[in-house]
Amino acid sequence: MTDKKLTRGFIGFKVFRNFTFYAGIMQLYLVSQGISFEMIMLAYGIQSVAMMLFEIATGIFADRFGRRLSLIAGVSIRALGILLLFAWVEPLTVIVGFILVSLGLAFISGSDSALIFDATQKNPQAGSYRRLESLGYLVELGVYGCAAAFGSII
């Protein structure tokens, strides 16, 4: 894999992973749909615990079945959780949606960096791991910041 191809793929993944324009309005949307603020906070608490519980299991999955498959699973499960949060707003589905989002994030967590690390170690043409990871964080923070700032406008 060439440096340009790897860089474009990694940066593209970081952009779409953090393209979370819903984050700025999700709580307001859920409240407007009749979900109490207390239920939303409970769902966030459950999401945090679920993320912690899923982290090791999804890391084992990535090591056994591949980082790329882990990324695909993570993005797919996270998208399903977000869709559930906006499509079917009931207290139980909000909690299930948050759990699915945390499961998706756990599948992604570390797999993206490990995939880049493996690629740069196997192929010297792929470029420097630190350079790619730094560029990835820069893009990730920029996209997330824009999504948070402009999500409620869009």
Side-chain angles (χ1 to χ4, degrees):
M1 187 177 296
T2 66
D3 184 27
K4 285 183 182 181
K5 186 176 179 182
L6 182 65
T7 302
R8 275 186 269 154
F10 185 61
I11 297 306
F13 176 77
K14 291 287 190 177
V15 167
F16 288 110
R17 174 184 164 200
N18 292 290
F19 202 65
T20 55
F21 289 101
Y22 69 89
I25 61 161
M26 185 169 56
Q27 293 78 15
L28 296 174
Y29 173 75
L30 292 173
V31 168
S32 75
Q33 297 298 308
I35 303 298
S36 70
F37 187 70
E38 291 82 11
M39 178 60 73
I40 295 169
M41 292 301 103
L42 175 65
Y44 272 116
I46 291 170
Q47 180 183 28
S48 296
V49 171
M51 179 78 177
M52 183 179 63
L53 294 174
F54 293 143
E55 193 70 32
I56 293 173
T58 56
I60 293 168
F61 178 91
D63 290 341
R64 176 169 272 198
F65 298 106
R67 285 118 168 84
R68 190 166 283 151
L69 183 59
S70 183
L71 291 175
I72 292 167
V75 170
S76 301
I77 294 168
R78 182 176 180 217
L80 178 64
I82 292 167
L83 180 64
L84 186 63
L85 284 169
F86 284 98
W88 189 22
V89 183
E90 296 290 331
L92 182 59
T93 58
V94 168
I95 291 173
V96 171
F98 273 80
I99 290 171
L100 287 173
V101 168
S102 70
L103 178 60
L105 289 172
F107 270 108
I108 294 168
S109 176
S111 293
D112 54 351
S113 297
L115 185 65
I116 293 301
F117 182 80
D118 291 346
T120 57
Q121 296 303 305
K122 291 178 184 173
N123 184 0
Q125 289 181 325
S128 163
Y129 167 75
R130 288 194 320 203
R131 182 186 65 79
L132 282 172
E133 191 68 29
S134 296
L135 182 60
Y137 276 118
L138 177 68
V139 169
E140 186 175 51
L141 291 173
V143 170
Y144 193 72
C146 288
F150 299 112
S152 59
I153 296 170
I154 294 174

